[in-house]
Amino acid sequence: MARDRLKIGLLAIAGSGLAAGFALWSADQDALAKLAWSMGVIPVLAGLIAEIISSLARREVGLDIVAALSMSAALIFGEALAAAVVALMYAGGTFLESFAQGRARREMSDLLSRVARTATLQRDGGLLTVPLDDIVPGDLLMIRRGEVAPVDGTLGSDQAVLDQSALTGESLPVRLTRGATVLSGATNAGDAFDLCATHRAADSTYAGIVRLVRAAQASRAPMTRMADRFSLVFLVVTVVLASAAWWLTGDPIRAVAVLVVATPCPLILAVPVALVAGMSRAARFGVLIKGARALEAMARVKTLIVDKTGTLTDGRPVLVSVRAADGFDQERVLILAAALDQVSQHPVAQAVVTAARTKGAVLPVPTNVVETPGAGVTGLVDGHAVVVGGTDFVAARTGVAAWDMARPEPGAVVVAVAVDGQAAGWLVMADALRPGIAALLSALHRHGIGRIVLATGDHRSVAMAVAKGLALDAVHADLTPARKVQLILTERANGPVMMVGDGVNDAPALAAADVGVAMGARGAAASAEAADVVLLVDRLDRLLPGLLVARGAKRIALQSVVAGIGLSVIGMVAAAFGYLAPVQGAVLQEVIDVAVILNALRALRLGPNAT
């Protein structure tokens, strides 16, 4: 903030000095006009020299040196007006660069600005405002209209309307029902609701996002470091050309004109603005790119390797079908099984309960419940003895030795249901593909991904069943984490590799890939830490806009560099041959700088629907 105020102050001084000089010049006070112009230059030049000394102390050489040389040379050779124009243009350029950087970071800054500091806790029939760090799992919070959910939790009210645009990039609010997961960072767009905390603030989704955003903002891209190296070359070329113009013509004003045209360099301005704008734009689509280096690498990806469980699939079992035995109907079988499964936290049991509630079923409360972890549950439902679990578990407790059913698809799970000692039916559960996966993989192929490979630790029969009908170029199953890493190294022969995964076992592969993508900031901490890119929501379709933004941002940065440097070199040559006076050169260079910055900001409009 203080640095921004200093830039504004220097811009005001330079502008005032230039305006005062013109006023005195129009009054035929030439000597005083030159003094006013010079007084407007000196503070800017002093601040610039201090910045150069600081950069040299960090062993960084930038084109600020050219700006200092041009202002100094103009003052020494009596071109006070040219010096004043350069000072104004330089101060204006640095301010414009700061403004552009701020504009480019706006989506990421919005993410940071939404961090809650307190929460409204419901306790002993009253409401307390407490610091966020005091919230523990199990606490009941009230989220008022317009407030941001401070921690992850489950919905304790009948329904809630949430604006998740900060997480997903989608503008339409979503409606959730009791028991649904509420992610921290979502805004309450409806009536107040109760939130039962499931995580501490430091472990919640939004806290993880904030940590990743701060790390991303501090990064520098290889292209930016390349710009730093080229700045030294450009500095040498500028000084040599200016010296040659002076030596060959004997006119020092030619050298001054060359110097002012080269102040500053579009290479330094355009690259960081375009890349940061790309990172910010990707965040708008729910894709957190953890640095400009990762964005550049993402733009070059040719091969995509995807994990199966939790990536191509939801990673959670869903009900595929209900089959009823003679004397029972499907609805009754599902209600009895779901009623008993209410007491279990097993993922399959919770999926059965969710399926029944989705169909509008009212589930009775079971009694005399006994759960055998990982196997099944027994109990009474509406006076009936119900057993739910694997076929062996149910057979052992009911005497029903055989189940007349078709063999499930590879990867599916059968949940048997017995009522009063009789086979009532069975539920077929499966880890289903995410919606739209086939269209997404085809779109990735169309947008330059040459190979898409499935890599999973599941059996090959399961992997092939999942891969059926998908635009996959290869399927590798029965992989250990080490073999996934080896697969990435092998595929790298076809070009840069992107790996997408969500589990702890994927962390080594994510780290080995040119670009590692973790599914969801709330997923496994190891995978999010190892990844270069984190999808802020548990949706693989966010990958496509992230890829398009990365490629577009890099393309825009290169366009700005080529056009800016080309125009600067043409202007320098014209100045060396006397076709541009120092004042004209300064104005021309500022026009070039403004053009490349505005072009770089086009990255803020990138995405699937960008024009």
Side-chain angles (χ1 to χ4, degrees):
M1 187 66 71
R3 191 178 182 88
D4 289 341
R5 286 197 295 268
L6 176 61
K7 290 179 179 180
I8 294 173
L10 291 177
L11 177 59
I13 291 171
S16 299
L18 187 62
F22 273 121
L24 291 168
W25 176 75
S26 63
D28 294 328
Q29 300 292 325
D30 293 355
L32 291 177
K34 288 185 177 181
L35 178 62
W37 288 328
S38 300
M39 295 303 294
V41 172
I42 291 172
V44 177
L45 182 57
L48 180 55
I49 291 173
E51 183 69 27
I52 291 171
I53 293 173
S54 176
S55 298
L56 292 175
R58 298 191 303 268
R59 297 183 179 181
E60 297 176 0
V61 179
L63 291 178
D64 289 346
I65 295 176
V66 178
L69 287 175
S70 64
M71 280 186 266
S72 301
L75 289 177
I76 291 172
F77 293 107
E79 291 286 338
L81 175 56
V85 172
V86 171
L88 180 64
M89 297 305 180
Y90 178 79
T94 57
F95 175 77
L96 178 60
E97 182 183 10
S98 296
F99 173 79
Q101 289 274 15
R103 176 84 184 278
R105 293 182 187 272
R106 62 181 179 180
E107 305 295 348
M108 300 176 76
S109 299
D110 285 347
L111 287 172
L112 294 177
S113 67
R114 294 165 52 84
V115 178
R117 298 289 182 264
T118 60
T120 303
L121 177 65
Q122 302 187 46
R123 181 177 292 169
D124 300 327
L127 299 177
L128 300 174
T129 300
V130 298
L132 207 57
D133 292 339
D134 291 350
I135 301 300
V136 297
D139 281 346
L140 187 64
L141 309 178
M142 173 178 284
I143 311 299
R144 300 181 179 89
R145 181 186 291 269
E147 290 184 340
V148 175
V151 297
D152 293 341
T154 56
L155 183 60
S157 301
D158 289 336
Q159 66 176 13
V161 179
L162 294 176
D163 176 2
Q164 300 183 131
S165 59
L167 302 174
T168 67
E170 294 176 327
S171 58
L172 295 179
V174 296
R175 186 177 299 275
L176 303 181
T177 57
R178 182 182 295 273
T181 298
V182 177
L183 299 181
S184 54
T187 301
N188 182 10
D191 296 331
F193 64 85
D194 295 336
L195 176 68
C196 182
T198 56
H199 292 74
R200 289 184 174 274
D203 301 325
S204 290
T205 298
Y206 211 69
I209 292 172
V210 168
R211 287 192 293 269
L212 296 174
V213 167
R214 286 174 175 156
Q217 288 185 328
S219 70
R220 302 185 75 210
M223 187 182 288
T224 301
R225 291 191 289 269
M226 177 194 71
D228 293 340
R229 293 193 299 270
F230 272 102
S231 66
L232 181 58
V233 175
F234 194 85
L235 172 61
V236 172
V237 170
T238 300
V239 172
V240 169
L241 184 58
S243 301
W246 185 2
W247 182 69
L248 292 174
T249 66
D251 183 2
I253 304 304
R254 297 276 186 96
V256 174
V258 171
L259 290 173
V260 298
V261 173
T263 310
C265 176
L267 183 65
I268 304 301
L269 297 175
V271 171
V273 170
L275 297 184
V276 171
M279 292 163 56
S280 183
R281 182 62 173 168
R284 181 71 179 85
F285 289 104
V287 182
L288 182 57
I289 301 176
K290 292 166 62 175
R293 185 205 67 81
L295 184 140
E296 280 197 54
M298 195 172 182
R300 296 184 291 107
V301 164
K302 297 298 182 185
T303 299
L304 172 64
I305 299 178
V306 292
D307 181 43
K308 181 186 76 68
T309 306
T311 304
L312 285 184
T313 66
D314 278 324
R316 298 181 295 268
V318 295
L319 180 65
V320 175
S321 63
V322 180
R323 304 176 189 179
D326 292 340
F328 294 89
D329 60 56
Q330 295 180 352
E331 181 180 359
R332 183 64 176 163
V333 170
L334 177 59
I335 290 176
L336 290 173
L340 192 57
D341 274 341
Q342 290 178 99
V343 303
S344 176
Q345 292 298 314
H346 192 279
V348 173
Q350 290 300 301
V352 172
V353 173
T354 299
R357 287 176 173 165
T358 300
K359 294 178 180 294
V362 178
L363 303 180
V365 179
T367 58
N368 299 338
V369 177
V370 177
E371 180 178 6
T372 302
V377 187
T378 64
L380 295 177
V381 179
D382 288 340
H384 296 283
V386 180
V387 184
V388 179
T391 54
D392 292 341
F393 174 84
V394 175
R397 282 156 180 77
T398 63
V400 178
W403 295 84
D404 183 16
M405 60 183 181
R407 186 175 182 85
E409 292 291 328
V413 174
V414 171
V415 177
V417 183
V419 178
D420 296 329
Q422 295 182 346
W426 49 89
L427 314 175
V428 179
M429 316 293 294
D431 183 10
L433 280 173
R434 294 176 182 272
I437 282 295
L440 172 63
L441 297 183
S442 297
L444 289 171
H445 268 310
R446 290 196 304 272
H447 288 286
I449 300 297
R451 282 177 58 81
I452 301 179
V453 178
L454 174 62
T456 178
D458 281 344
H459 296 300
R460 184 163 186 82
S461 60
V462 176
M464 294 306 296
V466 169
K468 186 177 180 181
L470 299 180
L472 295 170
D473 297 285
V475 176
H476 296 269
D478 300 306
L479 296 181
T480 62
R483 290 183 62 194
K484 283 186 179 180
V485 172
Q486 184 60 46
L487 174 62
I488 287 171
L489 298 178
T490 302
E491 289 290 341
R492 190 169 285 156
N494 300 313
V497 175
M498 177 190 292
M499 168 72 190
V500 185
D502 78 323
V504 173
N505 63 323
D506 294 321
L510 294 177
D514 296 280
V515 180
V517 181
M519 292 290 298
R522 197 163 55 97
S527 62
E529 181 68 24
D532 303 292
V533 178
V534 178
L535 304 185
L536 300 184
V537 287
D538 192 31
R539 291 177 50 180
L540 189 60
D541 64 351
R542 301 292 86 188
L543 191 61
L544 180 59
L547 181 69
L548 295 177
V549 167
R551 290 183 172 175
K554 184 176 181 181
R555 181 180 66 252
I556 288 172
L558 290 175
Q559 288 173 351
S560 297
V561 167
V562 172
I565 291 295
L567 291 173
S568 294
V569 170
I570 292 172
M572 291 164 61
V573 172
F577 280 95
Y579 294 111
L580 284 177
V583 174
Q584 295 170 328
V587 173
L588 173 63
Q589 184 56 57
E590 185 62 14
V591 170
I592 294 172
D593 292 341
V594 170
V596 297
I597 288 177
L598 293 178
N599 184 65
L601 285 174
R602 289 195 301 116
L604 289 173
R605 301 197 303 270
L606 291 170
N609 299 318
T611 56

